[in-house]
Amino acid sequence: MTKYVYFFGSGSSEGSADMKNLLGGKGANLAEMTNLGIPVPAGFTITTESCVYYYKNGQKLPEGLEDQVEENLKKLEKAMGMKFNDRNNPLLVSVRSGARVSMPGMMDTVLNLGINDEIVAGFIEKTGNPRFGWDSYRRFIQMYSNVVMDMDSELLEHILEEKKKEKGVKADNDLTADDLKSLIPVFKAKVKEYTGKDFPTDPMEQLWGAIKAVFNSWENDRAIRYRKLNNIPSDWGTAVNVQAMVYGNMGEDCATGVAFTRDPSTGEKIFYGEFLQNAQGEDVVAGIRTPHPLRKDRKTDENLISLEELMPEVYQQLVDVYKRLENHYKDMQDIEFTIQNNVLYMLQTRNGKRTAAAALKIAVDMVNEGAINKTTAVKRVAPSQLDQLLHPTFDVKDKATHKVLAKGLPASPGAAVGKVVFNAHDAEEWAELGEKVILVRVETSPEDIGGMNVAQGILTARGGMTSHAAVVARGMGKCCVAGCGDVSINYKSKTFTVGDVLIKEGDIISLDGSTGEVFNGEVKRITPDLGGDFEIIMKWADELRTLGVRTNADTPNDAAVARKFGAEGIGLCRTEHMFFEGDRIKAMREMILSSDVAGREKALAKLLPMQKADFKGIFEAMNGLPVTIRLLDPPLHEFLPHEKKAIEELATDMGVSVEKLESKIESLKELNPMLGHRGCRLAITYPEIARMQARAIIEAACEIKKEKQVKVLPEIMIPLIGDVKELKMLKEEILAVAKKVISECGVDLDYTIGTMIEIPRAALLADEIAAEAEFFSFGTNDLTQMTFGFSRDDAGVFLPDYVEKRILEDDPFQTLDKNGVGKLVEMGVKLGRQTNPKLKVGICGEHGGDPRSVDFCHKTGLNYVSCSPYRVPIARLAAAHAAIDSKK
Amino acid sequence: MTKYVYFFGSGSSEGSADMKNLLGGKGANLAEMTNLGIPVPAGFTITTESCVYYYKNGQKLPEGLEDQVEENLKKLEKAMGMKFNDRNNPLLVSVRSGARVSMPGMMDTVLNLGINDEIVAGFIEKTGNPRFGWDSYRRFIQMYSNVVMDMDSELLEHILEEKKKEKGVKADNDLTADDLKSLIPVFKAKVKEYTGKDFPTDPMEQLWGAIKAVFNSWENDRAIRYRKLNNIPSDWGTAVNVQAMVYGNMGEDCATGVAFTRDPSTGEKIFYGEFLQNAQGEDVVAGIRTPHPLRKDRKTDENLISLEELMPEVYQQLVDVYKRLENHYKDMQDIEFTIQNNVLYMLQTRNGKRTAAAALKIAVDMVNEGAINKTTAVKRVAPSQLDQLLHPTFDVKDKATHKVLAKGLPASPGAAVGKVVFNAHDAEEWAELGEKVILVRVETSPEDIGGMNVAQGILTARGGMTSHAAVVARGMGKCCVAGCGDVSINYKSKTFTVGDVLIKEGDIISLDGSTGEVFNGEVKRITPDLGGDFEIIMKWADELRTLGVRTNADTPNDAAVARKFGAEGIGLCRTEHMFFEGDRIKAMREMILSSDVAGREKALAKLLPMQKADFKGIFEAMNGLPVTIRLLDPPLHEFLPHEKKAIEELATDMGVSVEKLESKIESLKELNPMLGHRGCRLAITYPEIARMQARAIIEAACEIKKEKQVKVLPEIMIPLIGDVKELKMLKEEILAVAKKVISECGVDLDYTIGTMIEIPRAALLADEIAAEAEFFSFGTNDLTQMTFGFSRDDAGVFLPDYVEKRILEDDPFQTLDKNGVGKLVEMGVKLGRQTNPKLKVGICGEHGGDPRSVDFCHKTGLNYVSCSPYRVPIARLAAAHAAIDSKK
C-alpha cells in the first residue's frame, strides 16, 4: 500500500526537509522543525503524489487515502490531547496547500475546520471566550463556503458589513459575541440559498471537502498563471497539510508574526520581522492593522511596542529558534509563528525570498561565516535576478504615486524617463541639443537605429518580445516597452492617446522596461550600486564555470561595456548596423541601386574605409579577445526608404527618377523576407559585398596590429548557410582577399572563417559544413523561426494562446526549445565535431542570455554563449550554475 | 599502370557495350559492334577516367596516357594497313567525344586529322582525287582552328564565301581542286594573324590538341547547360574516340546516312532512315541537301532515289546489320553509317531517342516479340515522358508558323488557346457566355481560383515554378505559363504589351505550358490518343510497383479524372479551395469578421451544408478508396479582398464600415505569412472552425454511406503540426464531434485522424507526434521552404543563381532534396513507426509527381505518394521504376 500521509508531532516526524518533492515545502519543513524539537502544532501531510493521482484519475482520491487520514487523525488527537468531532474537548484543524516550491497566496487554505453548532459550545466552554468561539465559527463558514463551496466571498462579507452598520460599529472586532452568533444562521441560509446545499455540519465531511478543495486549487487560474510565470511544471501537484489549530487571537497573551532571519532587502545580518498582538496570521498579511516590530531597536515610533519588550521570554525563545533554523538550513529563513497564551508555536519556515542585492550579500556573508562554501553561495543567486542590478530602477515609493498610463510588454529592462518624440530623426536632433527623449513608434525598423541609439527608452504600439524594437533595445541595454496596444499613435499630429489621455511631442513619460508600465510624467530613479559582493560572486562563478561567455556587440562602445561586464570576446558583431549611419546609408543605397558589378564596387569602395574604422575600434576595445564578425545579413530592401516623401528625397539625392527608384524598391519586395534573399545568399549573388567586407576586416586587423600592437583575433562569420557549397564558395572569395591584404600589409595575422548554423538544413548537414568551417555559431533566433515555422514578427497573434493553452511550456524565442530546436543544435554539434574535432561552437541568438538556455548550451558541450552586453553577468552566473548542476 | 586506352578493330575489341561508364556510350558501342563482326573502322577509345583525372589535376593528362595512345596508334595503323604521319600511305583519323549518355552536338569533334601540306599530296595520290584531297584538308583546317584553337568559325568561313563570290559559284561543291588548294595558305595566314600561332603541321601535335579539346569541351557552356537540363553529373567526364576516317564523300559510290531500326515517332516496326550520296555525315544533319529515304517504299517523290535502289547490295548488308544490332541490344537503335566505295562502315549505334508514344509501342511490341520481359519494357518508358501524352499538344507544323511572342516558365503542361481576360471575375463572366479564355495576371492569389478554374490557361508575369498560379494550375491539370517577365500588364486599360506588340482584352493567344511559349493568335492543337499500349504498360507498372499512388484533388471532378488515371485514393483534399466560390466566400468573410465565437459559429453554420455537399461528391467519386481531407490551412487574410474597390463593396455587403474592414484586413497582415497564423494554428485559436469541418466530413460520410451504400474511408488530416499537443487538442475536438454525429446518424463509420509533417520540428519529434496520429503525410513543399529557409515565392530571385553556380544540383521545389529535407523525411518515418508501427505514411507535396522524388519515397519506405491528377500515371510508372531499381 502506498504511503500517502506523513505525520509530524510530539517531537518526531515521518518526514524531513529533504522530502520536499513528496511533502511540499511547507510539509517537509514542518516535519523537519518537529524533528529539531522546535515547537510545532502537530499534524500530518497528504503527499503531492496523492494530488498527482487525483488529477491522473479524473479527480478521484487514491484508494487507502481515507484510512490513512483517519489513522493520522487519531495520532493527531493523541498528540494534542484533544478530539476531532468531540463537543467536550474539540480539536480544530487548519487545511493548507504546500507545493514543492512556495506559491504564495495562489492556492487555498481553510482554518478552524471541525466546528459546528454543537462543537462551538464545547469550544466556548473550553476557552471560556464566547466571542472568540463565535468569531472562529463565523470565520470558518466564510472561508469554507468560499473555498470549498465556490461561493463568492462578497456574499457573506456583505452580511457582515450590514451587521456592522446595524450595530453602528466599524471594525469586525467591535462586534460582540451575540452579534457574531446571530450571523451564523443568516450565513447558513445564504449558503443554502446560493449553493442549494446545506452547510456541512459533519467535521469529517468538512475535512474531505477542504482536502479536495486544496487539490482543486492546484488548477485554479491564479495557480496556473503563477506556475507559468515561474516555470513550475503542472504535474508536480500540491501536498495538503492538516494541522492542529493554534490561536494568536485568543487574548492579550496571544500574538502572531512573521520574520526573516536577515534583512531580505539588503541582506544585512539583522533579525527582521513584525507581529500583531491578539490576531490571526492572516491579519498581518492583510495589513488591516499596522504590525509592530519584533526588536526594540527597530521601533520607528515611540507608540509602537516591540515583542522584545512585550513578551521578553517568548521573544528570547523566538531568537533561539530562528538562530537554530538558520544554522540548520544554512540559509536565510522566512518564518511564521503564533503565540497562544504565551506559548510559542512555529507554523512555517522556508528559505526567504530576497532582492538581488540581498542575495549577493547573504551568500558572501555566509561563506565568510563558514556556513556555506563558494559553490553553494553561487547557486544561492538566481542568474535572472541579476538583471535588477544591472539597470537603473524606479524609486518604488515615487513610482507608487504615479498612475500607470498604459501597459505593454517588458521587452528590455530599465527605467527610462524622457520627452516623447515620434521619429528617429527628431530623436537624434533633440538628443544633439541635450534633450533626453523617449522614442515612440508603432513599430521600429532598421532605419530607426540611430534614433533608438540616442533615446533613453523605446515605446512601441506593436510587436512582441522579439520584435525589432525589443531585440535591438536589449542589444543596446536600452529600456523598451513593446507591443503596448493601448497606445494609439498619430504621427501626423505628433501625439499619442491612451483612452482620454493625450500625450504630445515633448511631454515627459517614464517607462519601466521590467514591468512594461508606462507613466505620465517623471518617476524618480535610483542606480543600484554594483558593490563588492557582486564582484565576489561573479569571481566565484567564473572559477566554477567551463562555458565561455561572449557578447553581441556592434560598436566599440558596446564592446567596452560588455568587456567591463566580463565578456570574453565578441560572439556576434552585426556589420549591417554600421551601414545605417549618416553617409553610409547613402553609399549603401548607391550600391543597391547599381545595376552592375562595377557600380556596386564603386559604392562599396566608399563603405570600405568607414567599416574598417569601425572594426579597428572594436578590435582595439577587445584587445586580446576573439571578435566574431558576421557578414551582411538583412535583405537589401531594409536599406531603402518606404515612405513616399523619403523616396522622393532619395531619388533627387541619387539623381534617379522616382519611378526607377520605386520600381527597384518594388522589385526587392518579398512575400516572406525572413525566407528570402538575405544572409550569404546576397554574397552568392553579389560576391563583391563579401569581398569588400573581408577586406575591411583584414585591413583593420592588420593596421591596428601594426599601429598599436593590439592583439587581434578576427573570426569571419558567414550567415544563413544551408549548404556547404555556399560556404566553400564564399570562403574562397574571402581567403583570396585576405591573402592579398595580408601580403600588402606585411603583417602576420591569424584569423578563422566559420558559419552561423541557423537554417535547419545546416544543422542536419553539419558534418558536411564542418569540413569547411573553423567554427559554428548557432543563430537560434532564426533556427527557432524555421524549426517551428513561426515568424517571430507575426507569432504574437497566436503564441500567447499556445502558452495559455499549454501547448508550449515557454515562448521558444525566449527560452530555447530543448526538444525540437535543441535536437537540431545537438545534431549540429555532434555531426560538426565528427568531421572537425577542433570545431569551436557557440550560440549567438537571444537565448545566449537566458539562464535555462545557457544550461542547455553547457550540457550540449558548446564552447561559449554570446549575449547582449547587459546580460553577460547573467550568462556567467548561469554558466556556473550549469556547471555545478551537471556535476551533481 | 592504369589502362587508359581501349582498342577496337580487326574483328575484336578490348571493350564492350557494358563498359559505357568507362568508354562512353559511343566507344562502348563501337567496341561491341566490332566484337559482333560488324564492319567498323578501327580505332581506340581514351577512357572517361582520363578526363576525370584531367579535371582533377588542373587539366593535366594522366601519366602513361601518351605511351598508350602511341601504342594504340600503331595497332590502328596495322589494322587499317595505313600509317599515321606518312606521306605515302597516310592514315587520317577522326577525334570524337563520347560520354556515358549521349549529349548530341554538345561537345567537339575533329575530322580528317593527320593531314598537312606534305601528306595531302600523298592522300591525293592514293585516292586519285585532288579535289577531295584539298577539300578534306581545308575542312580540317576550318574544324581544327575552331575547335582546338578557339577561332571564331566565321573567320575562315568568310574567306570561303569570298572565294565562291570570286569564282561566281554558289555551293562549296562547285569550287575546284585548285580553288580549294588556293584557300590553304590564306586559311593558315588568318590563323596565324588571329591566334598568333602557326597552324600545327605535325600530326601528333594535331592529335593531342584535338584530344585535349574534346576533354575541354566537357566543360563548355552548352555541355554544362545540357547536363543541368538532363541531370547528368558533371564528374562523369567524357571519353575520346580516335578512329580511322572513312569517307562518304569520295565519289558517287560513296554515301552516308542515319537510321532508326523502328519509327522513333510512332514506334512502328519499320526501318526508318535517310542518306546522302557522296556526302559527309555532317551534311545529313546540317540539312544543306535534302536527304533521300533508305527504303524504296518510303519515297515521297518520284525524283528521289532510295538506297535500296541505288546500292541494293550494300542496302541488304545494312538491313542485316540493323537487324543484328536490334536483336543484340534488344532495343530500337539509332545508327550512323558511311559507304566508302561501295563498302559499308558502321560509325555508331545507340538506343534511339523516341517520343512517348513510340516508347510505349516499342516496349509493348518487343515484349510481344519475346525480345524483352515486362520489367524491361516498363523501364524503357521514362516516367517524365508520359507528360506529353496526358495533355493536348500543339500541332508541330502549325506551331512552326507562329512566332513566339514571349517566353515564361513551363509551369503546367498543356496547350491552351483562348481570349485574353485580366481578372477572375471577367474570366467567369466570359466563360459563362461560352467563351474560352486565358487568364492573364501579374500573379494569382486564392481569390482568382474561380477564374483559373474556368480558364483554358493561365499566364502570369511574376512567380516561379511553384508560385500560386503554377501549383494551382498543375493541381487542376491546367496549362500555365508563369513568371513571363516580358509581359507588361496594364490592368486599367486591360491590355498587355510585349515589346511593341499590344494585346487587348479579347485578343486570342496560345500558351504552350510544356515550353513556356506564348503565341499571338491561335495555334492548332491535337489531342493524343491514350491507346492500348499506354494501358498495357501502366498495368505492368502496377504489377511491379509496391508504392501506392494517390492524387491531390479538391473537387468530385478532379477526383474522377484522377481515378481514371489510376489514383488509388485522395492523398490531399484541400478544403480551403471550397471556400472561394460564390456565396461561400461571403460566409467565410462573415466568419473572419466576427468578433466572437457565437458570430463565427453562425457563419460557419452557413458553410457547413456547402462543404458537406462537396465531401459527399468526392466520397462518391472515390467509392471504396481512402480520402484524406486536410482542414483549413491558409492564413485568413487570403479570404479578404485587398483592393480598395473590392473592400468598399464588401463593406457595403457586410454592413460594416470601410474603416472597420480595413482595420481588420490590416490586423491580419503578416510580415512572413508563410510562418504565420495558419494551418492548425487557426484551429487552436478558433476550434469552432475545426469542429464545423469535422462535422461536415463525418456527416457527409455517414449520409452518403446511408443514401448510396458508398464505401467511405475518410482520413482527417490536421496541417502544420509542430508539437504533439496541438494534434492532441484538435484530435479531441474532432473525436467529440465525430462521436456525436455518428450516433446522430446511426451509421457505423471508420475514419482515421492524422497529420501533415511539414514543419521541421514535427519531423524531429515524429516519435511524439505518432503517438496521436494514425497517419503522416509529408507536406514537402513547406518542409522544403522551412528546412532551407527558402520562401518559394521569393526564391526565384536567387535560386537560378544557385543552380547556375552549382550550389544546388536541382531546384529543391521540383525534386526533393534528399540530403537535407530527405533526412528529415527519413527521421520522420523512422521515429514515427518506432512509436506507431502501423503508421501509414505518404507524401502530398508537389514532389509526389516527380519521378526522382518518387524513387526516394519508395526507398524511404513510404506507403504512398500523392500528386496532381495528371501526374498520377507518371507517379505509377516512377514507382514501378523505383521498385525495379531497388531490387537490383
Side-chain angles (χ1 to χ4, degrees), chain B residues 405-406 418-422 438 440 459 487-490 493-510 518-521:
Chain B
L405 178 66
K419 292 185 176 170
V420 169
V421 291
F422 289 93
I438 303 275
V440 180
L459 170 64
V487 162
S488 178
I489 299 173
N490 187 331
S493 63
K494 294 198 176 176
T495 60
F496 75 81
T497 52
V498 181
D500 303 335
V501 183
L502 176 84
I503 307 283
K504 297 186 301 294
E505 182 185 45
D507 288 354
I508 288 177
I509 61 170
S510 302
V518 182
F519 301 92
N520 196 344

Side-chain angles (χ1 to χ4, degrees), chain B residues 564-608:
Chain B
K564 212 184 67 197
F565 280 138
E568 297 161 316
I570 291 181
L572 175 62
C573 171
R574 284 159 294 207
T575 53
E576 56 270 19
H577 290 174
M578 302 176 177
F579 291 140
F580 281 101
E581 288 163 33
D583 280 354
R584 300 173 174 203
I585 185 93
K586 232 177 111 174
M588 190 66 192
R589 287 166 170 176
E590 193 183 317
M591 197 275 295
I592 295 168
L593 296 176
S594 299
S595 53
D596 58 12
V597 179
R600 281 191 295 273
E601 282 180 341
K602 201 176 133 212
L604 286 164
K606 295 184 196 168
L607 288 167
L608 177 66

